[in-house]
């Protein structure tokens, strides 16, 4: 009898120790997860509701935005998702829904399921006090398919969203599933909607989402995707840099996340490639393009030349699509040696204070793989360069003749100006628009109309009447400019002009569905105008945003959404 009682006591003692141990372990795991969430609370998603779940990131040591843009981290995340997908069969009624699993869109959702019939899938997002967001999802398996994996764009941060998924078969039969989810608050903005002001034009806004690039705090750099009602529908975190455009090609979305790193995202939000400049002497500057082979052609600063010759923002580099190897394609000093002898002034206004900023290239456009159009802000000149990948050659300049008067023999490169207008000054966002005629095309740009040239302090701006200085002011105006360039006749002419709020630096323009999307960057506003130059609607950022580098509008067709 005593032996039995002793056994019972020993059993209870061991059982108690096990319970205590398990409880301690559970608390430890919980505390560990909580600690991770605290250390990177603006990155890791939270689970809530009955449908949406999150991945376990505790073994990935994710503490900052830079951690999420490591391909090794992304590969491990993809493996976790594949394991979940393989663990059971997910149906439309019981789909796998993950909150921002790749951590590249604060409010994004990942959906995975199969259907017995081939269906196309659409969805609607509703949140209290906001407009409804609806899209049909792009499926690379076909418009109607049985296997479905998507990323949902459009949820409102920090608020409960009601998401309705609709599957429609080829006979028009529909099936719906509705659930709710509250994503994290935005990393870089306290408000989910920009200030919206209606204009006098009754023209419909163009389709798509505005990619709003650039904000004040280096700790919370992001690219926002904003709808026509001003609501932020996605937030893509970046490290310490403003990717001045998004390029959708080869089923990828290219963007820069740091001044020494570009990445490509797939439609699900996974970082599938990362291109690093960390082991080179180059830093990205402003703009880049992607050639037909997937190589990245980018504007850059050579850090060795910055240290030895005190010059910046005058390089073009190539990042090989396959190897990631970085090579120099062009040093502007080699191409414009006489200008460098003349333009010896030091920058005094921008982040390049104390350095020689002779060219300040701010836009690059590929007309074909070895031929580019460059916007040089410092010289108020648009340059066309051919044989870029072999032996670079200047083809022409577009600028007022006074800029190049007495500087080498560069005046011979000037195209003839047809008509009576003032040529662009301090321009940004030059965009190449081809026509069906060889050698004839359009160039549109944000003409800042800013009379700033620190590299040549004795330059006379007499040919630029009513041009402004380095401070945003209502006393001056910038403009949307559209040139018709005819290389066959060696001429350019102004075919369209729209007056815009004055911005001495940064800024962008874009033609979209016959409207003009404009970012007057130094005023922290962007807007859309109709074909006649009448304002349809403007948007103003709130909170900590200081200025907006650029705004372009994208449909994301055949990527996130069906065409």
């Amino acid at each position: 009898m005593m032996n039995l009682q002793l056994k019972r006591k020993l059993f209870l003692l061991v059982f108690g120790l096990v319970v205590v141990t398990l409880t301690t372990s559970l608390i430890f795991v919980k505390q560990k997860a909580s600690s991770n969430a605290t250390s990177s609370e603006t990155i890791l998603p939270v689970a809530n509701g009955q449908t949406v779940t999150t991945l376990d990131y505790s073994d990935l040591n994710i503490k900052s935005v830079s951690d999420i843009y490591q391909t090794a981290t992304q590969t491990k995340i993809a493996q976790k998702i594949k394991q979940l997908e393989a663990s059971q069969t997910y149906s439309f009624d019981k789909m796998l829904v993950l909150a921002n699993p790749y951590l590249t869109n604060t409010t994004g959702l990942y959906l995975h399921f199969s259907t017995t019939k081939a269906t196309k899938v659409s969805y609607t997002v509703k949140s209290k006090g906001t407009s409804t967001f609806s899209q049909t999802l792009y499926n690379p398996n076909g418009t109607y398919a049985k296997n479905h994996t998507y990323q949902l764009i459009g949820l409102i941060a920090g608020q409960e969203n009601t998401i309705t998924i609709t599957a429609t078969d080829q006979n028009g039969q529909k099936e719906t599933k509705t659930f709710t989810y509250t994503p994290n608050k935005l990393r870089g903005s306290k408000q989910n909607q920009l200030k919206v002001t209606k204009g006098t034009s009754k023209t419909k806004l163009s389709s798509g989402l505005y990619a709003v690039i650039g904000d004040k705090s280096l700790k919370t750099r992001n690219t926002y995707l904003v709808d026509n009602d001003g609501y932020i529908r996605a937030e893509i975190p970046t490290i310490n840099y403003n990717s001045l455009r998004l390029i959708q090609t080869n089923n990828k979305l290219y963007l820069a996340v740091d001044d020494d790193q570009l990445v490509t995202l797939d439609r699900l939000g996974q970082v599938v490639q990362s291109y690093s400049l960390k082991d080179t002497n180059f830093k990205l500057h402003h703009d880049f393009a992607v050639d037909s082979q997937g190589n990245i052609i980018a504007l850059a600063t050579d850090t060795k030349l910055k240290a030895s010759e005190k010059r910046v923002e005058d390089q073009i580099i190539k990042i090989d699509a396959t190897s990631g190897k970085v090579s120099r394609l062009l040093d502007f000093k080699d191409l414009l040696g006489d200008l460098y002898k003349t333009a010896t002034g030091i920058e005094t206004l921008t982040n390049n204070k104390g350095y020689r900023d002779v060219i300040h290239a701010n836009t690059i456009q590929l007309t074909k793989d070895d031929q580019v159009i460059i916007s040089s802000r410092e010289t108020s000149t648009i340059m066309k360069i051919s044989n870029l990948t072999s032996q670079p050659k200047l083809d022409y300049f577009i600028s007022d003749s006074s800029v190049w008067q007495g500087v080498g023999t560069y005046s011979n490169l000037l195209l003839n100006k047809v008509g009576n207008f003032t040529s662009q000054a301090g321009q940004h966002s030059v965009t190449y628009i081809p026509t069906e005629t060889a050698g004839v095309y359009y160039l549109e740009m944000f003409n800042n109309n800013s009379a700033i040239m620190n590299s040549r302090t004795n330059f006379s701006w007499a040919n630029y009447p009513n041009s402004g200085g380095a401070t945003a002011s209502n006393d001056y105006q910038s403009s949307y400019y559209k040139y018709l360039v005819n290389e066959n006749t060696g001429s350019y002419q102004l075919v369209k002009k729209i007056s815009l709020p004055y911005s001495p630096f940064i800024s962008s323009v874009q033609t979209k569905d016959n409207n003009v999307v404009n970012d007057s960057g130094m005023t922290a506003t962007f807007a859309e105008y109709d074909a006649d130059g009448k304002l349809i609607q403007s948007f103003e950022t709130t909170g900590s945003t200081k200025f907006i580098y650029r705004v372009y509008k994208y449909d994301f067709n055949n990527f996130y959404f069906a065409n």
Side-chain angles (χ1 to χ4, degrees):
M1 188 72 176
M2 291 295 294
N3 289 338
L4 179 61
Q5 290 178 344
L6 181 60
K7 287 181 179 178
R8 284 178 179 176
K9 289 180 180 180
L10 288 171
F11 172 78
L12 291 174
L13 178 61
V14 171
F15 178 78
L17 289 172
V18 169
V19 170
V20 171
T21 302
L22 286 174
T23 303
T24 304
S25 298
L26 288 171
I27 291 173
F28 175 75
V29 171
K30 187 175 181 181
Q31 287 176 339
K32 185 176 181 181
S34 176
S35 176
N36 278 344
T38 301
S39 65
S40 55
E41 60 185 357
T42 57
I43 299 173
L44 298 183
V46 293
N48 56 69
Q50 297 180 342
T51 303
V52 181
T53 59
T54 62
L55 293 179
D56 179 5
Y57 300 95
S58 59
D59 61 327
L60 298 184
N61 195 31
I62 297 173
K63 296 181 179 180
S64 66
V65 179
S66 60
D67 293 329
I68 72 176
Y69 285 109
Q70 303 303 313
T71 51
T73 300
Q74 292 285 311
T75 298
K76 291 177 182 177
I77 292 173
Q79 290 171 347
K80 290 175 180 287
I81 295 173
K82 287 180 180 179
Q83 288 172 358
L84 276 174
E85 292 176 349
S87 66
Q88 67 180 80
T89 299
Y90 292 94
S91 64
F92 185 80
D93 290 330
K94 190 178 180 181
M95 58 181 67
L96 174 64
V97 185
L98 296 171
N100 184 23
Y102 291 110
L103 309 175
T104 55
N105 174 12
T106 303
T107 63
L109 288 178
Y110 178 101
L111 267 64
H112 173 78
F113 59 92
S114 60
T115 52
T116 55
K117 294 182 180 180
T119 62
K120 68 177 179 180
V121 178
S122 59
Y123 71 104
T124 297
V125 177
K126 294 182 179 180
S127 186
K128 185 177 180 181
T130 68
S131 58
T132 300
F133 184 83
S134 298
Q135 291 287 346
T136 298
L137 289 162
Y138 169 67
N139 192 333
N141 299 315
T143 303
Y144 293 87
K146 294 183 179 181
N147 297 317
H148 305 271
T149 307
Y150 309 106
Q151 181 184 184
L152 261 58
I153 302 293
L155 278 69
I156 299 297
Q159 293 184 193
E160 183 179 78
N161 293 259
T162 300
I163 302 102
T164 299
I165 313 295
T166 302
T168 306
D169 67 21
Q170 290 169 301
N171 295 321
Q173 296 296 312
K174 296 183 178 181
E175 187 178 8
T176 62
K177 177 180 177 62
T178 299
F179 58 92
T180 61
Y181 177 62
T182 303
N184 286 1
K185 292 181 179 180
L186 297 172
R187 299 177 63 251
S189 175
K190 294 181 180 179
Q191 298 186 11
N192 291 316
Q193 186 184 24
L194 280 61
K195 180 181 178 181
V196 175
T197 303
K198 297 288 186 180
T200 58
S201 176
K202 303 302 180 183
T203 301
K204 184 180 178 180
L205 289 168
S206 61
S207 61
L209 294 169
Y210 302 97
V212 181
I213 303 167
D215 56 42
K216 182 178 180 180
S217 173
L218 294 180
K219 295 181 180 179
T220 55
R221 289 280 175 98
N222 309 279
T223 291
Y224 299 105
L225 303 184
V226 177
D227 70 13
N228 282 345
D229 294 311
Y231 290 104
I232 297 173
R233 296 294 179 173
E235 179 188 56
I236 304 172
T238 55
I239 300 169
N240 188 15
Y241 188 69
N242 296 303
S243 178
L244 295 196
R245 72 172 68 244
L246 308 178
I247 295 180
Q248 179 188 328
T249 187
N250 304 322
N251 298 316
K252 302 170 189 173
L253 193 66
Y254 291 73
L255 71 153
V257 295
D258 206 347
D259 61 4
D260 57 10
Q261 185 181 10
L262 288 115
V263 300
T264 61
L265 303 178
D266 67 12
R267 64 186 184 87
L268 304 176
Q270 181 182 356
V271 178
V272 291
Q273 289 172 301
S274 176
Y275 301 99
S276 176
L277 278 67
K278 287 182 172 61
D279 294 329
T280 74
N281 53 295
F282 295 108
K283 296 288 187 181
L284 297 170
H285 170 64
H286 278 347
D287 207 4
F288 69 96
V290 179
D291 71 15
S292 63
Q293 305 302 311
N295 302 309
I296 298 169
I297 312 299
L299 301 176
T301 288
D302 185 321
T303 55
K304 287 185 178 179
L305 293 175
K306 182 177 181 179
S308 62
E309 299 184 20
K310 297 291 183 180
R311 58 186 175 96
V312 295
E313 298 178 359
D314 57 357
Q315 308 291 309
I316 302 178
I317 62 173
K318 174 183 175 181
I319 306 173
D320 187 88
T322 304
S323 67
K325 179 182 178 182
V326 180
S327 57
R328 188 196 318 269
L329 293 180
L330 174 65
D331 181 337
F332 275 94
K333 186 178 180 181
D334 295 336
L335 205 60
L336 293 162
D338 288 338
L339 173 64
Y340 277 74
K341 293 176 183 177
T342 303
T344 57
I346 301 300
E347 177 64 43
T348 62
L349 297 171
T350 69
N351 291 336
N352 291 317
K353 288 179 182 178
Y355 293 94
R356 296 183 64 192
D357 194 3
V358 177
I359 301 295
H360 195 100
N362 60 30
T363 314
I364 184 168
Q365 293 276 283
L366 288 173
T367 59
K368 57 183 182 180
D369 281 358
D370 66 343
Q371 190 169 274
V372 295
I373 290 173
I374 299 293
S375 168
S376 166
R377 188 208 74 196
E378 182 69 9
T379 64
S380 294
T381 299
I382 299 167
M383 308 175 180
K384 180 166 175 276
I385 302 169
S386 58
N387 301 326
L388 180 66
T389 56
S390 54
Q391 190 172 358
K393 172 182 173 295
L394 286 168
D395 286 353
Y396 70 65
F397 287 167
I398 294 177
S399 76
D400 187 83
S401 59
S402 61
V403 174
W404 299 99
Q405 186 175 355
V407 183
T409 59
Y410 302 125
S411 292
N412 297 332
L413 294 168
L414 289 168
L415 295 186
N416 294 319
K417 181 168 66 174
V418 178
N420 184 21
F421 61 93
T422 303
S423 296
Q424 78 284 349
Q427 76 288 333
H428 285 71
S429 184
V430 174
T431 302
Y432 166 77
I433 306 171
T435 71
E436 294 180 356
T437 304
V440 179
Y441 47 88
Y442 296 99
L443 294 176
E444 64 180 5
M445 71 206 73
F446 188 97
N447 176 17
N448 296 71
N449 189 35
S450 51
I452 303 168
M453 194 185 293
N454 287 168
S455 63
R456 293 159 64 187
T457 54
N458 59 347
F459 176 75
S460 171
W461 293 93
N463 287 2
Y464 295 86
N466 303 314
S467 56
T471 304
S473 170
N474 293 329
D475 295 334
Y476 304 101
Q477 284 188 323
S478 297
S479 300
Y480 165 84
Y481 261 25
K482 187 175 185 179
Y483 288 155
L484 177 63
V485 178
N486 190 329
E487 292 188 26
N488 304 318
T489 60
S491 64
Y492 72 102
Q493 58 182 308
L494 181 65
V495 295
K496 189 169 185 178
K497 175 184 177 181
I498 297 174
S499 294
L500 302 172
Y502 180 67
S503 180
F505 297 107
I506 59 179
S507 310
S508 63
V509 293
Q510 172 196 19
T511 298
K512 183 77 170 63
D513 301 344
N514 294 320
N515 294 340
V516 172
V517 176
N518 139 256
D519 160 36
S520 292
M522 294 293 285
T523 64
T525 62
F526 63 96
E528 195 162 325
Y529 295 79
D530 66 19
D532 296 322
K534 293 182 180 178
L535 177 66
I536 305 172
Q537 191 165 287
S538 67
F539 304 82
E540 183 178 348
T541 59
T542 58
S544 63
T545 300
K546 182 179 181 181
F547 45 65
I548 308 172
Y549 281 86
R550 292 187 187 175
V551 175
Y552 292 114
K553 203 170 191 182
Y554 303 99
D555 286 312
F556 298 108
N557 288 335
N558 299 323
F559 192 72
Y560 300 133
F561 312 128
N563 194 350

